[in-house]
């Protein structure tokens, strides 16, 4: 808890606000240390908040080359959990 309250880190942009998924669709807000790097004189920031469980699962499985039939079988068996089932 001391890190997120450190005035030097907060004022200098050393901590980034981030939201994590929590129970029942709510989120938890906290801060994470920023990378101490710059690209073209710009500090690297947070690209995205953390995904919810299963939010990116379909895309990842498709990118890995799984067929729709294999994906459906994994979901049906409970091997993977998908937030929103959008199979054709």
């Amino acid at each position: 808890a001391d890190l997120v309250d450190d005035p030097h880190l907060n004022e200098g942009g050393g901590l980034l606000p981030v939201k994590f998924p929590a129970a029942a669709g709510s989120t938890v807000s906290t801060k994470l240390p920023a990378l101490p790097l710059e690209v073209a004189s710009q500090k690297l920031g947070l690209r995205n908040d953390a995904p919810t469980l299963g939010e990116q699962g379909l895309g990842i499985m498709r990118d890995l080359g799984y067929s729709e039939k294999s994906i459906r079988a994994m979901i049906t068996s409970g091997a993977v959990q998908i937030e929103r089932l959008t199979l054709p």
Side-chain angles (χ1 to χ4, degrees):
D2 294 339
L3 180 69
V4 297
D5 295 326
D6 185 282
H8 176 75
L9 287 174
N10 279 291
E11 291 170 16
L15 296 174
L16 299 173
V18 64
K19 294 179 184 174
F20 288 99
S26 63
T27 57
V28 174
S29 298
T30 188
K31 296 178 184 177
L32 293 177
L35 292 174
L37 305 171
E38 290 185 7
V39 176
S41 300
Q42 297 290 317
K43 286 190 174 191
L44 300 177
L46 183 67
R47 291 190 323 186
N48 299 309
D49 287 324
T52 59
L53 179 64
E55 180 178 343
Q56 299 174 342
L58 283 175
I60 291 170
M61 288 187 289
R62 288 175 177 147
D63 289 347
L64 290 171
Y66 288 102
S67 68
E68 297 299 315
K69 183 178 178 181
S70 294
I71 293 171
R72 186 182 308 275
M74 287 186 276
I75 293 168
T76 302
S77 72
V80 295
Q81 182 178 347
I82 300 297
E83 181 180 88
R84 284 174 247 126
L85 186 58
T86 55
L87 292 175

